[in-house]
Amino acid sequence: MGTYLILVGLLSICSLSFSQECSRELVKNVDFPGAEVSTPYSPDAEHCQQLCTQHSSCQFFTFVQGDWTRNNRTFRCCLRSSASGQPNARTALQNVTSGFSLKPCNPDPQPCLSQVYQNVEFPGADYRSFFTADYKECQRACTQDPACRFFTFANGLFTPEKYRFKCQLKYSWAIPRTPDVETKAGVTSGFSHKTKFTQHFDTACEGRLFVNTAIPEHHLQKLSAASPQQCQTLCSAHPLCTYFTYVSTNLTCLLKNNRNEMVIKNKEGVTSGMPARFCQPDNNWIKVAHKDVDFPGSNIRFEPKDNADACQKACTNDKYCQFYSYVNDNFSDPALRRRCYLKRVITMPAPPKVAKLANVVSGFTKKNCHGQKQ
Ligand SMILES: *[C@@H]1O[C@H](CO)[C@@H](O)[C@H](O)[C@H]1NC(C)=O
Ligand SMILES: *[C@@H]1O[C@H](CO)[C@@H](O)[C@H](O)[C@H]1NC(C)=O
Ligand SMILES: *[C@@H]1O[C@H](CO)[C@@H](O)[C@H](O)[C@H]1NC(C)=O
């Protein structure tokens, strides 16, 4: 009898943690407490739910709505997890909306975000601006510009007056980035062979890299990358990147911006180059396994595997995995050996900040809204 009860107990614990059912419900005025894994900004609960779905470990979320007044957490999308996969409780809380990750629902990897937001600004991340008659024209411009992911438009009542009808196109990373790349003895890291890093072009091209060359000035952004080719791919994806410099000693990718001049200098161990935006670059770099390199964080889960190649295959065969790190037999901590960590990051449009602002309209590209009126 005692054994039976323990068994039933164990089974119910297991079913809690493994049978994650597809639940699309959004629960208003209820908080889902849990361990906070990340708190990005979001304009509404639906967008926040998609962020949770694309985050490596988010299981449920609480979105702090625009009418929240208690503190400065307005428009925060609180991505959470727990051991059971369920919220620890359901607590009444005004002006928040909670729900679950859509990971078990076979989600669209590029969701259509057709909603627009009145009196809401997406500050920062600008790369191009001009003037349009209304927000709909600004949204069309965003949909047709290859790099645009979201926009903010100032309407005819906006102050200061000189910014009225201004349409700001904005960018967030559309390709998987490795947030960190570190040298670590006994760890091998690489990418899913299925990850799309560029849009498809019929014309092939070879990326041009200048070895032992630095371009010191005009800093735009500093990122981590495992190779000059990965750095070049990041430069090609960023609308403001005009050239880049990759420093192999610290695995750093420096994106640069200057449309007028490019001053190069000889420098040992440094590689520079230009983006490839209008042709199909040789993407063989994604097949390279980087020895003694770790991509820390961003874990979906880990599985035991015999070697780095088996880990790469597990990542390639997993719908959500973008990159992996494998802990080899010679790693210092025996407890972690043979672990294959599957990893991913958010690639949907994600504004760096969301704030209230009178007389502006913000929204997203409708590139992914196939068959819907644009
Ligand atoms: C919730 O929103 C209402 C307006 O919709 C506001 O009056 C109230 O103060 C807000 N409460 C909290 C806790 O944010
Ligand atoms: C939000 O408020 C907290 C204290 O409640 C403060 O520490 C933090 O700096 C504030 N953040 C911003 C962005 O204002
Ligand atoms: C660990 O083993 C891998 C091959 O399995 C090898 O490439 C790597 O250099 C080794 N690292 C150390 C620190 O011995």
Side-chain angles (χ1 to χ4, degrees), residues 84-127:
S84 69
Q86 296 291 318
N88 305 331
R90 291 185 176 220
T91 322
L93 187 63
Q94 233 189 353
N95 306 341
V96 303
T97 300
S98 295
F100 295 91
S101 159
L102 300 178
K103 288 179 185 82
C105 308
N106 197 19
D108 185 342
Q110 296 181 317
C112 165
L113 306 164
S114 56
Q115 199 66 40
V116 294
Y117 307 90
Q118 304 282 344
N119 302 314
V120 170
E121 180 197 17
F122 293 163
D126 302 337
Y127 72 91

Short mmCIF file of all heavy atoms in Angstrom, two decimals, residues 84-127:
data_model
loop_
_atom_site.label_atom_id
_atom_site.label_comp_id
_atom_site.label_asym_id
_atom_site.label_seq_id
_atom_site.Cartn_x
_atom_site.Cartn_y
_atom_site.Cartn_z
N SER A 84 7.74 22.58 -11.54
CA SER A 84 6.59 21.81 -12.05
C SER A 84 6.17 22.26 -13.45
O SER A 84 5.41 21.58 -14.11
CB SER A 84 5.41 21.97 -11.11
OG SER A 84 4.92 23.29 -11.17
N GLY A 85 6.65 23.41 -13.88
CA GLY A 85 6.21 23.96 -15.16
C GLY A 85 4.92 24.76 -15.03
O GLY A 85 4.46 25.37 -15.99
N GLN A 86 4.34 24.76 -13.84
CA GLN A 86 3.10 25.48 -13.58
C GLN A 86 3.39 26.63 -12.62
O GLN A 86 4.33 26.54 -11.83
CB GLN A 86 2.08 24.55 -12.92
CG GLN A 86 1.63 23.39 -13.81
CD GLN A 86 0.79 23.88 -14.98
OE1 GLN A 86 -0.07 24.74 -14.82
NE2 GLN A 86 1.03 23.34 -16.16
N PRO A 87 2.59 27.70 -12.64
CA PRO A 87 2.79 28.77 -11.65
C PRO A 87 2.61 28.22 -10.23
O PRO A 87 1.79 27.32 -10.02
CB PRO A 87 1.71 29.80 -11.99
CG PRO A 87 0.89 29.24 -13.09
CD PRO A 87 1.52 28.00 -13.60
N ASN A 88 3.38 28.76 -9.28
CA ASN A 88 3.29 28.29 -7.89
C ASN A 88 1.93 28.58 -7.29
O ASN A 88 1.51 27.95 -6.34
CB ASN A 88 4.37 28.98 -7.05
CG ASN A 88 5.75 28.78 -7.64
OD1 ASN A 88 6.00 27.77 -8.30
ND2 ASN A 88 6.64 29.74 -7.42
N ALA A 89 1.24 29.61 -7.84
CA ALA A 89 -0.08 30.00 -7.33
C ALA A 89 -0.75 30.83 -8.41
O ALA A 89 -0.14 31.11 -9.45
CB ALA A 89 0.08 30.83 -6.06
N ARG A 90 -2.00 31.20 -8.19
CA ARG A 90 -2.67 32.18 -9.06
C ARG A 90 -3.18 33.26 -8.13
O ARG A 90 -4.09 33.03 -7.34
CB ARG A 90 -3.82 31.53 -9.81
CG ARG A 90 -3.36 30.53 -10.86
CD ARG A 90 -4.54 30.01 -11.67
NE ARG A 90 -4.06 29.12 -12.73
CZ ARG A 90 -4.56 29.11 -13.96
NH1 ARG A 90 -5.57 29.89 -14.30
NH2 ARG A 90 -4.07 28.28 -14.87
N THR A 91 -2.56 34.42 -8.20
CA THR A 91 -2.84 35.49 -7.24
C THR A 91 -3.56 36.64 -7.94
O THR A 91 -3.10 37.08 -9.00
CB THR A 91 -1.50 36.03 -6.66
OG1 THR A 91 -0.62 34.93 -6.48
CG2 THR A 91 -1.71 36.75 -5.36
N ALA A 92 -4.63 37.13 -7.34
CA ALA A 92 -5.33 38.27 -7.93
C ALA A 92 -4.41 39.49 -7.94
O ALA A 92 -3.75 39.78 -6.93
CB ALA A 92 -6.59 38.57 -7.12
N LEU A 93 -4.32 40.18 -9.07
CA LEU A 93 -3.50 41.39 -9.17
C LEU A 93 -4.05 42.22 -10.31
O LEU A 93 -4.13 41.75 -11.45
CB LEU A 93 -2.03 41.01 -9.41
CG LEU A 93 -1.01 42.15 -9.38
CD1 LEU A 93 -0.95 42.80 -8.00
CD2 LEU A 93 0.37 41.63 -9.75
N GLN A 94 -4.43 43.47 -9.97
CA GLN A 94 -5.03 44.36 -10.96
C GLN A 94 -4.06 44.75 -12.07
O GLN A 94 -2.88 44.97 -11.80
CB GLN A 94 -5.48 45.64 -10.24
CG GLN A 94 -6.92 45.96 -10.50
CD GLN A 94 -7.27 47.35 -9.96
OE1 GLN A 94 -6.48 48.01 -9.30
NE2 GLN A 94 -8.48 47.77 -10.26
N ASN A 95 -4.55 44.83 -13.32
CA ASN A 95 -3.81 45.39 -14.46
C ASN A 95 -2.60 44.57 -14.91
O ASN A 95 -1.64 45.11 -15.45
CB ASN A 95 -3.39 46.85 -14.20
CG ASN A 95 -4.57 47.72 -13.80
OD1 ASN A 95 -5.73 47.35 -14.06
ND2 ASN A 95 -4.31 48.85 -13.21
N VAL A 96 -2.67 43.26 -14.67
CA VAL A 96 -1.68 42.37 -15.28
C VAL A 96 -2.45 41.27 -16.02
O VAL A 96 -3.62 41.04 -15.74
CB VAL A 96 -0.71 41.73 -14.24
CG1 VAL A 96 0.01 42.79 -13.43
CG2 VAL A 96 -1.42 40.73 -13.34
N THR A 97 -1.78 40.63 -16.98
CA THR A 97 -2.37 39.49 -17.69
C THR A 97 -1.34 38.36 -17.69
O THR A 97 -0.17 38.60 -17.98
CB THR A 97 -2.72 39.88 -19.14
OG1 THR A 97 -3.65 40.96 -19.11
CG2 THR A 97 -3.34 38.70 -19.89
N SER A 98 -1.78 37.16 -17.38
CA SER A 98 -0.87 36.02 -17.31
C SER A 98 -1.27 34.93 -18.30
O SER A 98 -2.41 34.87 -18.74
CB SER A 98 -0.83 35.46 -15.89
OG SER A 98 -0.28 36.42 -15.01
N GLY A 99 -0.31 34.09 -18.61
CA GLY A 99 -0.59 32.99 -19.52
C GLY A 99 0.61 32.07 -19.62
O GLY A 99 1.59 32.22 -18.88
N PHE A 100 0.54 31.15 -20.59
CA PHE A 100 1.56 30.10 -20.72
C PHE A 100 2.33 30.23 -22.03
O PHE A 100 1.84 30.78 -23.02
CB PHE A 100 0.90 28.73 -20.65
CG PHE A 100 0.27 28.45 -19.32
CD1 PHE A 100 -1.06 28.78 -19.08
CD2 PHE A 100 1.03 27.91 -18.30
CE1 PHE A 100 -1.63 28.56 -17.84
CE2 PHE A 100 0.46 27.68 -17.05
CZ PHE A 100 -0.86 28.01 -16.82
N SER A 101 3.53 29.67 -22.03
CA SER A 101 4.32 29.52 -23.26
C SER A 101 3.52 28.68 -24.24
O SER A 101 2.83 27.73 -23.85
CB SER A 101 5.62 28.82 -22.91
OG SER A 101 6.19 28.24 -24.06
N LEU A 102 3.62 29.01 -25.53
CA LEU A 102 2.94 28.22 -26.55
C LEU A 102 3.85 27.11 -27.10
O LEU A 102 3.52 26.49 -28.11
CB LEU A 102 2.47 29.13 -27.70
CG LEU A 102 1.49 30.24 -27.33
CD1 LEU A 102 1.16 31.10 -28.54
CD2 LEU A 102 0.21 29.66 -26.73
N LYS A 103 5.01 26.85 -26.44
CA LYS A 103 5.92 25.79 -26.93
C LYS A 103 5.19 24.48 -27.21
O LYS A 103 5.45 23.86 -28.23
CB LYS A 103 7.06 25.55 -25.93
CG LYS A 103 8.09 26.67 -25.87
CD LYS A 103 9.17 26.36 -24.84
CE LYS A 103 10.15 27.53 -24.66
NZ LYS A 103 9.63 28.58 -23.75
N PRO A 104 4.26 24.03 -26.33
CA PRO A 104 3.57 22.75 -26.64
C PRO A 104 2.52 22.88 -27.76
O PRO A 104 1.91 21.88 -28.12
CB PRO A 104 2.88 22.38 -25.32
CG PRO A 104 3.42 23.32 -24.28
CD PRO A 104 3.87 24.54 -25.01
N CYS A 105 2.29 24.07 -28.29
CA CYS A 105 1.22 24.29 -29.26
C CYS A 105 1.73 24.28 -30.71
O CYS A 105 1.02 24.72 -31.61
CB CYS A 105 0.52 25.63 -29.01
SG CYS A 105 -0.04 25.87 -27.32
N ASN A 106 2.97 23.84 -30.94
CA ASN A 106 3.55 23.87 -32.28
C ASN A 106 3.47 25.28 -32.88
O ASN A 106 2.86 25.50 -33.92
CB ASN A 106 2.84 22.84 -33.17
CG ASN A 106 3.65 22.54 -34.41
OD1 ASN A 106 4.86 22.80 -34.45
ND2 ASN A 106 3.00 22.02 -35.43
N PRO A 107 4.09 26.26 -32.21
CA PRO A 107 3.90 27.67 -32.59
C PRO A 107 4.57 28.04 -33.92
O PRO A 107 5.53 27.38 -34.34
CB PRO A 107 4.57 28.42 -31.44
CG PRO A 107 5.62 27.48 -30.94
CD PRO A 107 5.04 26.11 -31.09
N ASP A 108 4.06 29.09 -34.55
CA ASP A 108 4.66 29.66 -35.74
C ASP A 108 5.98 30.33 -35.31
O ASP A 108 5.97 31.21 -34.45
CB ASP A 108 3.70 30.71 -36.33
CG ASP A 108 4.19 31.27 -37.65
OD1 ASP A 108 5.40 31.13 -37.95
OD2 ASP A 108 3.38 31.86 -38.37
N PRO A 109 7.13 29.93 -35.90
CA PRO A 109 8.40 30.55 -35.48
C PRO A 109 8.48 32.04 -35.84
O PRO A 109 9.28 32.77 -35.27
CB PRO A 109 9.47 29.75 -36.22
CG PRO A 109 8.77 29.01 -37.31
CD PRO A 109 7.33 28.88 -36.91
N GLN A 110 7.66 32.47 -36.81
CA GLN A 110 7.66 33.89 -37.18
C GLN A 110 6.22 34.41 -37.11
O GLN A 110 5.54 34.53 -38.13
CB GLN A 110 8.23 34.06 -38.59
CG GLN A 110 9.70 33.66 -38.64
CD GLN A 110 10.31 33.84 -40.00
OE1 GLN A 110 9.71 33.52 -41.01
NE2 GLN A 110 11.52 34.37 -40.03
N PRO A 111 5.74 34.68 -35.90
CA PRO A 111 4.34 35.04 -35.74
C PRO A 111 3.98 36.37 -36.40
O PRO A 111 4.82 37.27 -36.47
CB PRO A 111 4.17 35.13 -34.21
CG PRO A 111 5.54 35.39 -33.68
CD PRO A 111 6.48 34.69 -34.62
N CYS A 112 2.77 36.47 -36.90
CA CYS A 112 2.24 37.72 -37.47
C CYS A 112 1.84 38.63 -36.32
O CYS A 112 1.06 38.25 -35.45
CB CYS A 112 1.03 37.40 -38.35
SG CYS A 112 0.02 38.84 -38.77
N LEU A 113 2.40 39.86 -36.29
CA LEU A 113 2.08 40.82 -35.22
C LEU A 113 1.40 42.02 -35.87
O LEU A 113 2.05 42.98 -36.23
CB LEU A 113 3.37 41.23 -34.50
CG LEU A 113 4.25 40.11 -33.95
CD1 LEU A 113 5.64 40.62 -33.62
CD2 LEU A 113 3.61 39.48 -32.72
N SER A 114 0.11 41.94 -36.06
CA SER A 114 -0.57 42.96 -36.86
C SER A 114 -1.11 44.11 -36.02
O SER A 114 -1.51 45.14 -36.54
CB SER A 114 -1.70 42.33 -37.67
OG SER A 114 -2.58 41.67 -36.80
N GLN A 115 -1.11 43.96 -34.70
CA GLN A 115 -1.65 44.98 -33.80
C GLN A 115 -0.83 46.28 -33.88
O GLN A 115 0.39 46.23 -34.03
CB GLN A 115 -1.54 44.41 -32.38
CG GLN A 115 -2.41 45.07 -31.37
CD GLN A 115 -3.88 44.84 -31.64
OE1 GLN A 115 -4.28 43.76 -32.04
NE2 GLN A 115 -4.68 45.87 -31.46
N VAL A 116 -1.51 47.44 -33.80
CA VAL A 116 -0.78 48.70 -33.61
C VAL A 116 -1.18 49.30 -32.26
O VAL A 116 -2.25 48.99 -31.73
CB VAL A 116 -1.03 49.72 -34.75
CG1 VAL A 116 -0.46 49.22 -36.06
CG2 VAL A 116 -2.49 50.09 -34.86
N TYR A 117 -0.32 50.15 -31.72
CA TYR A 117 -0.49 50.64 -30.36
C TYR A 117 -0.51 52.17 -30.36
O TYR A 117 0.49 52.80 -30.70
CB TYR A 117 0.64 50.11 -29.48
CG TYR A 117 0.76 48.60 -29.58
CD1 TYR A 117 1.60 48.02 -30.54
CD2 TYR A 117 -0.01 47.77 -28.79
CE1 TYR A 117 1.67 46.64 -30.67
CE2 TYR A 117 0.05 46.39 -28.91
CZ TYR A 117 0.90 45.83 -29.86
OH TYR A 117 0.95 44.47 -30.01
N GLN A 118 -1.68 52.75 -30.00
CA GLN A 118 -1.84 54.19 -29.95
C GLN A 118 -1.24 54.73 -28.65
O GLN A 118 -1.44 54.13 -27.59
CB GLN A 118 -3.34 54.56 -29.99
CG GLN A 118 -4.09 54.00 -31.20
CD GLN A 118 -3.84 54.79 -32.48
OE1 GLN A 118 -3.33 55.92 -32.44
NE2 GLN A 118 -4.19 54.19 -33.61
N ASN A 119 -0.56 55.87 -28.75
CA ASN A 119 0.05 56.52 -27.58
C ASN A 119 1.07 55.64 -26.86
O ASN A 119 1.22 55.69 -25.65
CB ASN A 119 -1.04 57.00 -26.59
CG ASN A 119 -2.00 57.96 -27.27
OD1 ASN A 119 -1.59 58.89 -27.96
ND2 ASN A 119 -3.30 57.74 -27.10
N VAL A 120 1.73 54.80 -27.66
CA VAL A 120 2.80 53.94 -27.14
C VAL A 120 4.01 54.11 -28.05
O VAL A 120 3.89 54.11 -29.27
CB VAL A 120 2.35 52.46 -27.11
CG1 VAL A 120 3.54 51.55 -26.81
CG2 VAL A 120 1.24 52.25 -26.09
N GLU A 121 5.17 54.30 -27.41
CA GLU A 121 6.42 54.50 -28.15
C GLU A 121 7.34 53.30 -27.97
O GLU A 121 7.36 52.69 -26.90
CB GLU A 121 7.09 55.77 -27.57
CG GLU A 121 8.39 56.13 -28.23
CD GLU A 121 9.24 57.10 -27.40
OE1 GLU A 121 8.99 57.27 -26.19
OE2 GLU A 121 10.16 57.68 -27.98
N PHE A 122 8.08 52.96 -29.04
CA PHE A 122 9.15 51.96 -28.94
C PHE A 122 10.47 52.74 -29.04
O PHE A 122 11.03 52.90 -30.13
CB PHE A 122 9.08 50.95 -30.09
CG PHE A 122 7.87 50.04 -30.09
CD1 PHE A 122 7.52 49.33 -31.24
CD2 PHE A 122 7.09 49.85 -28.95
CE1 PHE A 122 6.42 48.47 -31.25
CE2 PHE A 122 5.99 48.99 -28.96
CZ PHE A 122 5.66 48.30 -30.11
N PRO A 123 11.00 53.27 -27.93
CA PRO A 123 12.19 54.13 -28.04
C PRO A 123 13.45 53.34 -28.41
O PRO A 123 13.58 52.17 -28.04
CB PRO A 123 12.34 54.72 -26.64
CG PRO A 123 11.21 54.21 -25.82
CD PRO A 123 10.56 53.08 -26.55
N GLY A 124 14.36 54.00 -29.12
CA GLY A 124 15.65 53.40 -29.46
C GLY A 124 15.58 52.49 -30.67
O GLY A 124 14.53 52.34 -31.30
N ALA A 125 16.73 51.88 -31.01
CA ALA A 125 16.84 50.90 -32.10
C ALA A 125 16.53 51.50 -33.48
O ALA A 125 16.22 50.79 -34.42
CB ALA A 125 15.93 49.70 -31.85
N ASP A 126 16.66 52.83 -33.62
CA ASP A 126 16.39 53.49 -34.91
C ASP A 126 17.50 53.21 -35.92
O ASP A 126 18.67 53.17 -35.55
CB ASP A 126 16.36 55.02 -34.73
CG ASP A 126 15.32 55.46 -33.74
OD1 ASP A 126 14.35 54.70 -33.53
OD2 ASP A 126 15.47 56.56 -33.18
N TYR A 127 17.13 53.05 -37.18
CA TYR A 127 18.17 52.97 -38.20
C TYR A 127 17.84 53.80 -39.43
O TYR A 127 18.71 54.05 -40.26
CB TYR A 127 18.47 51.52 -38.60
CG TYR A 127 17.39 50.87 -39.42
CD1 TYR A 127 17.42 50.92 -40.81
CD2 TYR A 127 16.34 50.22 -38.81
CE1 TYR A 127 16.42 50.34 -41.57
CE2 TYR A 127 15.33 49.64 -39.55
CZ TYR A 127 15.38 49.69 -40.94
OH TYR A 127 14.38 49.13 -41.68
#
